[in-house]
Amino acid sequence: MMYTELLAPIHSFLKCETPDAWVTEATKKENLAVVLIDHLICELKAAQSAMFLIRKYAVDKDSSDALLEWLKPFETLIYKREGNWRDLAAKNKLTKSIIPKSNSPYGQELIDKMVMLIKEELHHFYQVLEIMDEYGVEYKSITPCRYAKGMLRNVKTFEPNALVDKLIVGAYIEARSCERFAKLAPHVDKRLGDFYISLLRSEARHYQDYLTLAQDIADFDITERVQEFADIEAELIQSPDEDFKFHSGVPQQIA
């Protein structure tokens, strides 16, 4: 099934496509483990990043504590290697309603969009664990690639521009993930390809949600700032990178 219509806005948003050299490296059998493990970590990081935004900008302490409790079993599995991953499907739920604190200028829209995103990212996290189990890939710690850090180091330090920049960065991370899933799908086996295709719609919506929130929160037209991050993102994707990961640049063999 073709997803041309779904991907068209993604391709317009991103300044460059994923280089063929990355696709070649990502589809090598010996790199399956690092692709899946890094994908798993990316799903957790996406949930953590969205939760950080809600907790920092939008909710009171009770809601913040409830959010942390929601994420705890997922983090415990990864950081402490405790718990059974099969139990996580039943734990992907909030124990209370999350409402904005009275002095928050951002309100319910930020909460609603980010809570939905967190729920979907944690569901994807569980799905990647299922895939890893099927393919006999054991989780192990890996170093983060330069991509997210390379984007975030350009975030402004004053508000509301800092929040706007973080939302724009979130949009680029989600859009690039969507584009890479689509790139990988035709080159892997049917089980994995079908899984990647199943992720496209939510990833495409996530990037749009981030952009919508960024413009709603900003007191200026964000177009120029979006383009600045487009340049930064494209440079990270197109430049040589010795550390192969899901969001890495052009693979460069270490001499």
Side-chain angles (χ1 to χ4, degrees):
M1 182 176 181
M2 295 297 291
Y3 281 82
T4 307
E5 186 176 340
L6 179 68
L7 291 168
I10 296 283
H11 290 145
S12 296
F13 180 61
L14 297 171
K15 194 171 182 180
C16 70
E17 289 191 28
T18 289
D20 290 340
W22 183 89
V23 178
T24 299
E25 194 72 13
T27 51
K28 288 179 179 177
K29 190 171 294 186
E30 62 266 30
N31 285 329
L32 176 64
V34 73
V35 170
L36 290 177
I37 292 169
D38 200 38
H39 179 185
L40 179 75
I41 295 168
C42 286
E43 298 291 359
L44 181 61
K45 292 290 187 186
Q48 290 174 319
S49 296
M51 191 169 287
F52 170 80
L53 292 179
I54 305 174
R55 293 179 59 241
K56 179 176 175 62
Y57 293 102
V59 300
D60 61 17
K61 187 180 185 305
D62 285 346
S63 290
S64 179
D65 290 345
L67 288 164
L68 288 176
E69 196 63 28
W70 179 18
L71 200 57
K72 188 175 180 180
F74 298 85
E75 293 179 322
T76 299
L77 183 77
I78 293 300
Y79 300 134
K80 296 184 178 180
R81 311 289 180 86
E82 295 176 3
N84 187 330
W85 68 266
R86 292 177 176 83
D87 296 335
L88 293 178
K91 296 184 178 182
N92 188 8
K93 57 188 177 182
L94 273 165
T95 57
K96 69 185 292 293
S97 297
I98 305 299
I99 56 175
K101 55 188 175 184
S102 58
N103 62 342
S104 171
Y106 305 116
Q108 199 67 46
E109 186 182 16
L110 177 65
I111 294 170
D112 291 345
K113 280 184 165 58
M114 292 297 98
V115 165
M116 176 61 72
L117 185 147
I118 294 164
K119 192 170 294 185
E120 291 180 340
E121 302 292 13
L122 293 180
H123 176 59
H124 298 162
F125 178 89
Y126 181 82
Q127 288 180 301
V128 179
L129 285 169
E130 286 184 313
I131 294 274
M132 288 171 60
D133 185 62
E134 289 177 32
Y135 284 76
V137 174
E138 290 188 16
Y139 176 76
K140 63 179 181 179
S141 297
I142 58 175
T143 56
C145 79
R146 63 181 186 174
Y147 180 79
K149 187 179 290 186
M151 297 281 281
L152 289 169
R153 70 164 56 102
N154 295 279
V155 168
K156 300 288 189 186
T157 57
F158 54 90
E159 301 294 356
N161 298 58
L163 174 55
V164 171
D165 280 358
K166 289 170 190 173
L167 292 167
I168 293 172
V169 169
Y172 273 104
I173 293 172
E174 296 289 340
R176 181 59 65 186
S177 297
C178 184
E179 188 258 359
R180 289 209 157 168
F181 290 137
K183 283 277 190 180
L184 285 175
H187 301 286
V188 295
D189 64 45
K190 187 176 187 305
R191 172 69 175 101
L192 199 51
D194 287 348
F195 174 54
Y196 288 150
I197 291 296
S198 74
L199 298 176
L200 297 184
R201 197 168 299 281
S202 59
E203 299 295 316
R205 189 180 68 257
H206 293 169
Y207 111 83
Q208 291 170 334
D209 284 348
Y210 270 120
L211 269 190
T212 299
L213 284 168
Q215 186 56 78
D216 288 348
I217 288 167
D219 54 5
F220 57 92
D221 184 344
I222 66 170
T223 303
E224 184 176 338
R225 193 63 177 145
V226 168
Q227 289 307 307
E228 289 173 4
F229 275 107
D231 292 336
I232 294 164
E233 201 269 348
E235 171 64 22
L236 289 164
I237 292 299
Q238 293 179 311
S239 58
D241 197 344
E242 292 181 347
D243 183 22
F244 174 74
K245 296 285 167 51
F246 187 78
H247 287 101
S248 57
V250 179
Q252 174 120 336
Q253 296 301 322
I254 301 174

